[in-house]
Amino acid sequence: MRSLLSKTLYDQRRGLIGWGIGLAALVALMLAYYPTVRNSPELNKFARELPQGVKALIGGTVEYTSPAGYLNGELFAFMLPLLFLVYGIGLGSRAIAGEEERRTIDLLLANPISRTRVVLEKAAAAGLGIALLGVIVVVVLLVGGRAAGMRIGVEKLVAAGVSVVLLGLLFGSLALMLSSATGARRSTRGIAAALGVAAYFLNALAPLASTLKPYRKLSPFYWYAGNEPLRHGLSAAHAGALLALTAVMVVAAVVLLNRRDIAV
Amino acid sequence: MRITSSSCAREGGSRELGRRVARLRRRARADRQVERRPLPGAPPIETEGLCKSYGDKQALLNLDLALRSGEVFGFIGPNGAGKTTTIRILMDLIRPSSGCARVLGVEPRAGGVELRRRIGYLPGELALYEELTPRRLLAHLSALRAGAGQRSIEPLAKRLSLELDRPIRTLSRGNKQKVGLVQALMHEPELLILDEPTSGVDPLVQHELHALLSEARERGQTVLISSHVLSEIERIADRIGIIRDGQLVVVDDMGALKARTARQVEIHFSGRVPPSAFEGLPGVREARFEGDAARFVVIGPIDALVKAAARFEVLTMTSREPDLEELFLTIYASGQRA
């Protein structure tokens, strides 16, 4: 462990292995069901007749039994963003507030390492962890999708994987910012999770409610899914918006941690 | 000089103003750069009117402290007196409400990374990465210092008899404290700041720590060592400062302080002794006689008392060091005169 970055990655290892296995299993399971779904066109009718509200939450505008429709409905509309959010928020809230809660931060900051570097290396380690999970999802999709007879472009799967990673990074950096600002791990986790849920519903329900419609673009979920990466690939504007917001949060985390007292 | 707000530039909107602010900022940065270089002969630690408050609670009140280069300075006070607050300001973990501190000639915040390279710090409430072994943790901390101290880990661990290869969570409190000591000492920093280093360690380790600190002093390192127990550091400290309720009560040479503190002396004789034989002895403040025993409170040398007692048959004589509370009392009592 030559650096804080490598130590933080080392600390993540167990969680990362567990999450990687879990995500791979989830994706593989969903793919295993696909051949059955593909041969049941009546499901399309069923999906079409779902109430508007439910359809909005599941997301997607294509036929349910198409590869893009199925992957979106079962993984990318809800399950994967939720899991990446939970993982990202966990890492982000632990990054600074976790050290502070365990009181190890005095020992860490006594070293010739600036608070700025602490935030950046922790952010980088968390980013690498989230990205690794994204790689696992995409690899399982590529390999398993072929086995399940799923016809969908590699670039579409990669685009969806990148999008969900970017969403995880965004909420991870939100938690990192709150964690740097307050040093309180639990409330950081709570607030970030609540904001995640609110953002999800705002994006999903905005098309149905005229009062919400103008605010849809405030939701990161719009920038995550609004472009439908499984159908249209990665949009530079959407990915850029998520990345830019992430960068702002990390910078804010640096500024806020540099300003305040470290709790005893 | 530091410019913290650039709002004037944005609100003004004028190009000229923006340029002027940029120029001022550059100059401020240059000033800070100059400040960063330690002044030769600057005290290793210096505070002026240092205050820290948490809400209504005043943790530090106008603390003026100056350490001399190469000394071991004992920082004494009861728990909650403000020792850790002071030390955490010196380490830039917290910022003062007002007043200023300079460590090795620079303000802790401005000194940043370069300053901390030259300091070894043992936190008061030491918490370690429990899942690591001491060897891994110390190697990691040394790596954060660009490898400084890597070679001292083994010898230091041996001297403190610290096992390096068991997970830290299985170690006793004293052994964890040893890990903290090794990481503070290993890179032989110019300045050692040790917050309650002797808490939880047995007398043998305390002895070894004193030896290590003596060697540090011989090498010219300056040591700030805090404790709430006087006896733990009186042997090693050149000077001590006593802090109480966020204020520095006294700073004095250890020897001078001891000379004017009251100690209790208890003497058992083989028979009753006449109290009159002990009247008017210099330094004796109080004398109580009970049967064959006599108890005295003495300030300064006990020479006169010993010589007076020697005229009788003495069975035992014990002299107890004053504890912190008694020390405070004598200081407050003598403070009126000083």
Side-chain angles (χ1 to χ4, degrees):
Chain A
M1 297 182 295
R2 307 301 305 167
S3 66
L4 182 59
L5 175 68
S6 53
K7 174 172 185 302
T8 313
L9 282 172
Y10 176 82
D11 292 340
Q12 267 191 67
R13 71 198 183 285
R14 285 212 189 96
L16 205 49
I17 291 169
W19 276 79
I21 292 172
L23 276 173
L26 172 74
V27 173
L29 190 72
M30 289 304 168
L31 289 174
Y33 276 113
Y34 183 63
T36 326
V37 171
R38 188 183 44 195
N39 298 326
S40 318
E42 66 276 12
L43 281 174
N44 282 327
K45 186 162 165 290
F46 172 72
R48 264 199 301 276
E49 283 164 5
L50 283 172
Q52 275 296 318
V54 178
K55 253 198 283 194
L57 291 178
I58 293 173
T61 49
V62 287
E63 299 244 294
Y64 177 71
T65 57
S66 73
Y70 180 75
L71 290 180
N72 188 59
E74 296 304 326
L75 291 171
F76 284 98
F78 182 72
M79 241 359 231
L80 288 179
L82 171 77
L83 293 173
F84 274 76
L85 240 69
V86 170
Y87 190 70
I89 289 172
L91 286 182
S93 56
R94 265 201 306 277
I96 303 298
E99 295 259 3
E100 230 166 323
E101 246 174 35
R102 294 177 67 190
R103 295 165 182 240
T104 48
I105 195 156
D106 273 37
L107 188 71
L108 175 60
L109 290 178
N111 290 291
I113 182 166
S114 65
R115 295 188 190 186
T116 302
R117 237 183 89 190
V118 169
V119 171
L120 294 181
E121 294 203 20
K122 294 240 170 201
L128 285 173
I130 294 168
L132 185 64
L133 291 185
V135 169
I136 289 172
V137 166
V138 170
V139 166
V140 176
L141 279 174
L142 287 173
V143 176
R146 181 161 301 175
M150 198 174 246
R151 264 190 231 145
I152 184 164
V154 174
E155 76 284 2
K156 304 280 162 53
L157 293 179
V158 172
V162 169
S163 298
V164 82
V165 165
L166 291 179
L167 189 72
L169 290 180
L170 173 60
F171 279 93
S173 62
L174 169 71
L176 176 70
M177 181 189 76
L178 293 169
S179 157
S180 300
T182 65
R185 189 175 56 87
R186 272 155 213 256
S187 47
T188 287
R189 218 171 42 185
I191 293 168
L195 285 173
V197 170
Y200 172 76
F201 280 106
L202 174 60
N203 174 61
L205 301 180
L208 307 178
S210 55
T211 48
L212 290 178
K213 215 169 248 167
Y215 305 110
R216 189 175 181 201
K217 290 188 176 175
L218 290 178
S219 168
F221 276 84
Y222 169 75
W223 300 101
Y224 158 65
N227 176 55
E228 296 188 67
L230 281 168
R231 286 176 68 199
H232 305 123
L234 203 61
S235 137
H238 284 245
L242 291 175
L243 266 180
L245 204 50
T246 301
V248 169
M249 303 273 192
V250 173
V251 170
V254 167
V255 172
L256 290 167
L257 183 65
N258 270 299
R259 287 164 66 108
R260 76 172 165 94
D261 285 357
I262 301 298
V264 182
Chain B
M1 176 180 181
R2 180 175 296 162
I3 296 177
T4 49
S5 162
S6 60
S7 59
C8 55
R10 253 180 249 129
E11 277 160 29
S14 109
R15 226 151 212 228
E16 176 49 30
L17 198 55
R19 237 178 270 144
R20 223 150 71 200
V21 169
R23 205 161 48 230
L24 276 173
R25 272 213 184 151
R26 264 200 304 280
R27 206 178 300 156
R29 213 175 300 142
D31 282 355
R32 250 179 285 156
Q33 219 99 86
V34 171
E35 217 176 283
R36 205 164 282 184
R37 238 173 284 141
L39 309 164
I45 291 176
E46 189 179 23
T47 72
E48 279 168 31
L50 202 62
C51 294
K52 179 72 185 174
S53 50
Y54 296 99
D56 293 343
K57 201 185 161 264
Q58 196 77 37
L60 284 184
L61 194 62
N62 286 324
L63 189 84
D64 295 323
L65 191 65
L67 263 64
R68 297 174 190 153
S69 197
E71 74 173 338
V72 176
F73 187 90
F75 197 30
I76 300 277
N79 290 322
K83 301 186 297 286
T84 297
T85 303
T86 308
I87 285 173
R88 293 181 89 240
I89 289 175
L90 299 175
M91 291 306 298
D92 191 38
L93 291 161
I94 54 178
R95 275 68 187 256
S97 308
S98 64
C100 80
R102 272 183 299 278
V103 179
L104 300 172
V106 291
E107 285 190 38
R109 190 166 186 187
V113 169
E114 279 316 307
L115 176 58
R116 289 201 295 274
R117 212 180 286 291
R118 302 160 62 197
I119 306 177
Y121 169 55
L122 175 75
E125 293 233 15
L126 179 67
L128 303 163
Y129 299 112
E130 301 261 317
E131 65 283 0
L132 303 178
T133 61
R135 190 185 299 282
R136 284 204 86 153
L137 173 65
L138 292 167
H140 172 62
L141 294 175
S142 161
L144 293 182
R145 293 188 175 277
Q150 179 67 45
R151 266 177 301 176
S152 312
I153 293 173
E154 286 275 359
L156 276 174
K158 193 163 280 173
R159 283 187 67 174
L160 295 168
S161 51
L162 165 69
E163 265 191 70
L164 282 172
D165 292 309
R166 278 172 50 189
I168 291 172
R169 64 170 175 275
T170 66
L171 299 180
S172 69
R173 175 140 182 267
N175 277 315
K176 287 178 187 172
Q177 191 74 358
K178 293 178 194 170
V179 179
L181 287 170
V182 172
Q183 66 82 30
L185 292 164
M186 63 183 181
H187 53 292
E188 293 187 8
E190 283 164 65
L191 176 61
L192 273 163
I193 298 180
L194 309 176
D195 197 355
E196 301 263 358
T198 43
S199 80
V201 303
D202 57 59
L204 231 69
V205 176
Q206 228 176 87
H207 189 77
E208 193 58 47
L209 174 65
H210 287 173
L212 284 164
L213 294 182
S214 295
E215 289 161 30
R217 176 169 48 196
E218 275 158 34
R219 277 192 296 263
Q221 293 168 263
T222 306
V223 184
L224 174 70
I225 173 171
S226 87
S227 179
H228 64 282
V229 187
L230 180 65
S231 64
E232 286 184 352
I233 61 169
E234 63 179 357
R235 259 178 228 101
I236 184 70
D238 300 312
R239 289 195 306 151
I240 69 165
I242 300 181
I243 185 174
R244 195 183 207 198
D245 296 330
Q247 285 179 290
L248 205 58
V249 183
V250 70
V251 174
D252 209 342
D253 282 351
M254 198 63 230
L257 195 74
K258 271 174 114 170
R260 61 191 179 99
T261 46
R263 73 190 62 233
Q264 295 190 22
V265 180
E266 191 175 320
I267 305 176
H268 284 258
F269 298 95
S270 60
R272 281 177 181 273
V273 291
S276 58
F278 296 90
E279 267 167 24
L281 292 176
V284 175
R285 281 292 182 82
E286 236 183 85
R288 278 192 0 249
F289 297 88
E290 281 169 37
D292 296 348
R295 289 189 187 80
F296 305 91
V297 175
V298 187
I299 290 181
I302 60 169
D303 182 66
L305 175 64
V306 171
K307 284 185 175 144
R311 285 183 283 157
F312 306 93
E313 194 185 341
V314 176
L315 298 180
T316 65
M317 184 167 113
T318 50
S319 165
R320 195 168 59 76
E321 294 291 317
D323 63 24
L324 200 50
E325 269 317 301
E326 288 166 339
L327 192 60
F328 283 136
L329 293 178
T330 33
I331 285 162
Y332 278 123
S334 61
Q336 317 299 349
R337 281 178 293 147

